[in-house]
Amino acid sequence: MIIIPKKDYDKSQLDNLVHWLEDKGLQVHQSKGENMTVLGLIGDTSKIDIDLIRSLDVVEDVKRIQEPFKNANRKFHPEDTVVDVNGAKIGGGNFQFIAGPCSVESEEQIIGIAKAVKAAGANLLRGGAFKPRTSPYAFQGLRGEGIRLLLEAKKETGLPIVTEIMDISQLPLFEEVDVLQVGARNMQNFELLKELGKLRKPILLKRGMSSTLQELVMSAEYIMAGGNTQVILCERGIRTFETSTRNTLDLCAVSVLKQMSHLPVVIDPSHATGYAKYVRPMSLAAAAAGADGLIIEVHNDPQHALCDGQQSITPEAFASLAENVKAILPYAAKRGEV
Ligand code: PEP
Ligand code: MN
């Protein structure tokens, strides 16, 4: 349920209403935007008399929310959420490039790529330390050592780091990590999501390869239900009958997610397409569609990359892509435009 107070509401009257609702065992989330304030109620609202609340002096309107997601719901929080990663803002009109290799391979590799992507306009560095590989015989990542090297690269460049956590047991190693990535394969690892909800740090939540957008938002809800509001949604392609690309990029997800939720949405054209040659066109398209950022795999020597070389672009290609994407941003689609 949401309650919309009158425009020039009396603060003490609203506080009284909030306390009354809290006494009834409800959680009340206040979202104060530029244009309106919304009270979002979480809990069992079935015994609340909606007509009684509507009749209060301070109240403009009351609506029941049909969707099972509350904290992540645009109706609860009409304004865009802006996730701030050490000053790099994502969402609410702020666009960021997250770039770096699929996997951290060595100190030289990660620092070299970090410097190159920074020079090309990236504000965040990605790199996998724990790698979810289809084959147990494939490179599994440098694990704790990989995180140490990412932190070295951060020290050298100042770029905040984004890296994937695969299991709760790894959490102590992520203390200094700026953004924790939940990969497609873990989008519904609910115990992990609950644990991440206890943190007060940004989480980049990737869409599962066979998950609906509502399921993605419900996973964000798991994190937010714990009090962590800094969630970035990521579309990275889904499984379809099409085999000419690694996955099928669902670009409409940008428009749909922004309708459903206030959380920022970034696109991963690398995993979505699986081929370096498709990363540029899909990046331009994602920016035009109104995405809040791109997460792109960049490697200094894609042919010899230990993971996902086929879809990795060079720092030079990234630099040109970033320049062209920035040129498109002023013309990007805005939410709800017809
Ligand atoms: C990755 O970003 O390296 C990754 C494994 O992505 P996804 O979870 O989308 O497959
Ligand atoms: Mn990868």
Side-chain angles (χ1 to χ4, degrees), residues 177-188:
V177 169
D178 301 287
V179 181
L180 281 70
Q181 175 176 325
V182 176
R185 292 156 190 81
N186 266 311
M187 188 203 85
Q188 289 191 317

Side-chain angles (χ1 to χ4, degrees), residues 316-330:
E316 295 72 32
F318 174 70
S320 139
L321 176 161
E323 202 179 309
N324 293 164
V325 163
K326 281 187 215 152
I328 279 183
L329 291 177

